Amino acid sequence: MDRTFVMVKPDGVQRGLVGEIVSRFEAKGLKIAGAKLEILPEERVVEQYREHLEKPFFPGLKVYIMSGPCFLMAWEGKGAVAVVRRMIGATNPAEAAPGSIRGDFALDIGRNVIHASDSPESAVRELGIHFAPGELVEYSKIDEPVLYE
Ligand code: UDP
Ligand code: MG
């Protein structure tokens, strides 16, 4: 099964959106494989956003991500990476489709509530940055026979 890395950013945690966001992924049929609340150390923020290090928004992004606890998750399911990217919506919440998480809960590109891996390769990389192998749990869920054909 595909796994993806998802993170409620500090604005989402402070605004009390963790439960709503977890509910959406559960309702979709995805299976939670790991979760934790953490204030990220600088080196993991830099590693996660390494493609953006030279971008003008990076210093502000780093301060924002480290401004409070993030809620880190691993979600599993058929096509999980692409499915979750569609569920979080476009990077700029002003353009994100209504019904998506960013479309429903955010207004500003610099406070867009949630992160999710953008490809299967990034998912493996990002899960490796944030979770030790023992923190990801393998188990079967009783709804699987009715979720998948
Ligand atoms: N970001 C920003 N200003 C920008 C572009 C991006 O603050 O002009 C932040 C925003 O938090 C975004 C993150 O940098 O989620 C990573 O940008 P990316 O383009 O990878 O968007 P994402 O993959 O999160 O949709
Ligand atoms: Mg990205």
Side-chain angles (χ1 to χ4, degrees), residues 26-118:
E26 284 187 322
K28 182 70 172 169
L30 295 164
K31 177 168 81 179
I32 193 160
K36 56 184 174 180
L37 186 74
E38 247 190 317
I39 298 179
L40 295 185
E42 184 173 4
E43 54 277 15
R44 275 161 60 202
V45 177
V46 166
E47 193 51 26
Q48 180 181 310
Y49 287 115
R50 64 176 186 188
E51 83 254 45
H52 297 311
L53 289 188
E54 305 305 323
K55 308 266 174 69
F57 61 81
F58 182 75
L61 173 63
K62 191 173 78 176
V63 169
Y64 158 49
I65 296 297
M66 295 178 67
S67 67
C70 293
F71 190 68
L72 289 71
M73 297 161 279
W75 286 96
E76 207 173 289
K78 190 173 179 181
V81 175
V83 165
V84 169
R85 278 297 284 198
R86 296 191 68 209
M87 289 177 72
I88 75 168
T91 304
N92 185 351
E95 287 157 17
S100 68
I101 292 166
R102 287 164 170 171
D104 287 350
F105 298 117
L107 286 165
D108 190 348
I109 192 164
R111 295 291 182 273
N112 62 1
V113 169
I114 189 163
H115 167 87
S117 307
D118 64 6

